[in-house]
């Protein structure tokens, strides 16, 4: 298995991505009641987007696989969506689509009037669609492993360990 190309997303590019997402949400005419950050990678973008849109933020953690911080909170989000509260779910990348599909399943029959998804980078070959993205890649062409600003304190070994959990994403 060949080591991936590690591509830094610097702060300037990240802030441009946040501006693109915020402008796209505003241009759509849809206004979320809540910005929801998906842990781990969606927390920083959700925080910045929350400030950019002037909307409060909630979070749920799918990465740690601790039910009290994922399943229970997803159920609470589902109840909010069923009550008509508008949720903008934010993650760093829609790569395979697994996270997005899990969120859509967990939130039941919530449609685009109450549930929308935003990512910094969207893989056009993903098994899931998002409503807003700052950039689109094609994993058949772009094999890079993106290193976002909040990941930069990690050692290269830890970054590669994250990649190694699912190396097929960049194969």
């Amino acid at each position: 298995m060949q080591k991936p190309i590690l591509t830094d997303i610097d702060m300037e590019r990240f802030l441009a991505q946040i501006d693109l997402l915020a402008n796209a949400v505003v241009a759509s005419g849809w206004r979320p009641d809540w910005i929801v950050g998906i842990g781990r990678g969606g927390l920083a973008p959700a925080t910045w987007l929350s400030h950019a849109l002037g909307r409060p933020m909630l979070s749920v953690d799918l990465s740690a696989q601790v039910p009290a911080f994922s399943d229970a909170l997803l159920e609470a989000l589902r109840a909010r969506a069923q009550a008509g509260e508008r949720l903008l779910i934010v993650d760093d990348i829609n790569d395979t689509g697994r996270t997005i599909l899990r969120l859509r399943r967990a939130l039941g029959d919530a449609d685009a009037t109450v549930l929308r998804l935003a990512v910094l980078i969207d893989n056009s070959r993903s098994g899931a669609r998002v409503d807003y993205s700052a950039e689109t890649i094609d994993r058949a062409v772009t094999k890079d492993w993106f290193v976002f600003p909040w990941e930069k304190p990690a050692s290269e070994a830890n970054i590669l360990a994250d990649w190694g959990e699912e190396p097929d994403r960049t194969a």
Side-chain angles (χ1 to χ4, degrees):
M1 183 178 331
Q2 187 175 350
K3 179 177 138 181
I5 297 167
L6 300 179
T7 299
D8 281 344
I9 304 290
D10 64 20
M11 189 55 95
E12 184 177 337
R13 182 173 171 186
F14 168 65
L15 292 175
Q17 291 171 326
I18 293 298
D19 284 344
L20 286 168
L21 289 177
N23 291 336
V25 172
V26 170
S28 76
W30 182 80
R31 182 170 166 86
D33 295 309
W34 300 97
I35 306 296
V36 181
I38 301 303
R40 182 161 78 158
L43 295 177
T47 300
W48 284 78
L49 200 54
S50 169
H51 288 290
L53 294 173
R55 306 306 305 145
M57 185 183 136
L58 302 169
S59 64
V60 61
D61 188 347
L62 301 181
S63 65
Q65 299 180 8
V66 177
F69 292 90
S70 59
D71 298 341
L73 294 175
L74 287 171
E75 186 55 42
L77 290 174
R78 181 183 182 128
R80 287 183 177 280
Q82 288 174 337
E85 293 182 34
R86 294 175 308 275
L87 309 174
L88 178 60
I89 310 282
V90 181
D91 208 354
D92 54 357
I93 187 167
N94 173 26
D95 214 337
T96 64
R98 184 177 307 131
T99 299
I100 302 297
L101 293 172
R102 178 177 176 192
L103 288 165
R104 288 198 185 277
R105 277 191 307 273
L107 297 176
D109 57 0
D111 64 20
T113 62
V114 295
L115 176 66
R116 297 202 182 171
L117 294 109
V119 295
L120 300 175
I121 300 174
D122 185 32
N123 173 14
S124 63
R125 293 182 181 264
S126 169
R129 299 282 43 99
V130 297
D131 301 286
Y132 309 102
S133 63
E135 296 180 25
T136 302
I137 61 166
D138 179 342
R139 272 291 185 218
V141 176
T142 305
K143 306 297 187 178
D144 305 36
W145 184 260
F146 298 99
V147 181
F148 294 95
W150 51 92
E151 297 170 311
K152 290 188 182 174
S155 68
E156 184 174 308
N158 285 344
I159 290 169
L160 291 175
D162 284 346
W163 164 78
E165 290 177 11
E166 222 180 306
D168 291 342
R169 288 184 280 195
T170 58

